[in-house]
Amino acid sequence: MRPDLSEFVRTIPNLIRTGKIAEIRADKVRVRLSPSLMTTWLQWIALRAGAVVDWCPPSVDEQVTVLSPNGDLTQGKVLAGLFSADSPAPQTSLTIRSIHYPDGAVVLYDFGLHTLSAILPTGSSALVKADAVTADAKETTCTGNVMPSAPRADPSCSPLRPSPPMLRNKIADTAAHSVIWLRLIPSPPPNQVSASVA
């Protein structure tokens, strides 16, 4: 008696299939595999989902791969990240790592040129919140206004008598062509200076 191979013939093509996301609901998506075939709700594969969690959901019409154990599409997992004619590769350089967002924002690092940029669209804002922030650079350029807030700058730091290079940070306002000196370590009180000299 010959075995019935019809089931294998039916399921083998479903092991790995490509399609486009038709609907998305948080951590699950439905994929259109053909004009007449759409999957049930399937999990999409994230980069990390343990102690470290990466959240970057795919989008509608994104081309994906559906991996189905035993060819059972109801058990499939969705792997996103296939470029297509509708969504071509945004770069051609092999030394660039970039993330492009639908609002026009781009975060890009070129390890060939050693340059890092984060370009946000008009009307956007950026926030870095921490107990301490260090900018370690030979020169820092600001093209807009610099608005200090509490704690106030040390009043003993005169713009006419800047601190020594090891005790200061230079902010060059290229728009106004001005230079602001900010004291990072306050000088000792005058009486302590006199006592040490004596």
Side-chain angles (χ1 to χ4, degrees):
M1 180 177 178
R2 299 181 61 181
D4 184 6
L5 300 180
S6 60
E7 184 65 15
F8 291 99
V9 173
R10 185 188 67 83
T11 58
I12 286 178
N14 290 333
L15 290 173
I16 303 176
R17 296 194 59 163
T18 59
K20 289 189 175 183
I21 293 179
E23 300 178 54
I24 183 168
R25 184 177 64 192
D27 64 339
K28 293 185 178 181
V29 296
R30 297 185 71 187
V31 180
R32 184 170 297 283
L33 300 175
S34 71
S36 60
L37 179 59
M38 187 162 61
T39 68
T40 184
W41 290 101
L42 303 176
Q43 283 188 315
W44 53 271
I45 300 173
L47 292 179
R48 297 290 300 275
V52 176
V53 178
D54 180 83
W55 177 254
C56 186
S59 56
V60 172
D61 289 333
E62 182 172 352
Q63 187 167 255
V64 297
T65 301
V66 180
L67 309 174
S68 303
N70 301 319
D72 183 0
L73 289 174
T74 64
Q75 302 299 318
K77 306 299 179 186
V78 179
L79 179 63
L82 295 177
F83 294 121
S84 64
D86 295 331
S87 183
Q91 307 287 345
T92 57
S93 172
L94 301 181
T95 64
I96 287 178
R97 171 71 165 90
S98 63
I99 304 176
H100 299 249
Y101 295 93
D103 65 349
V106 178
V107 179
L108 182 149
Y109 179 67
D110 188 331
F111 55 86
L113 299 177
H114 315 295
T115 57
L116 173 66
S117 63
I119 303 174
L120 305 181
T122 302
S124 60
S125 62
L127 170 67
V128 176
K129 187 175 183 180
D131 290 339
V133 176
T134 300
D136 187 354
K138 293 181 180 180
E139 183 173 307
T140 302
T141 302
C142 296
T143 59
N145 296 329
V146 177
M147 298 177 292
S149 61
R152 299 296 182 181
D154 184 355
S156 65
C157 180
S158 170
L160 300 179
R161 301 178 61 187
S163 303
M166 295 299 293
L167 303 179
R168 71 196 182 199
N169 182 30
K170 179 180 179 181
I171 301 179
D173 185 343
T174 57
H177 303 288
S178 61
V179 175
I180 303 173
W181 299 97
L182 299 180
R183 188 185 301 274
L184 299 181
I185 303 177
S187 301
N191 58 345
Q192 291 184 13
V193 175
S194 301
S196 61
V197 173

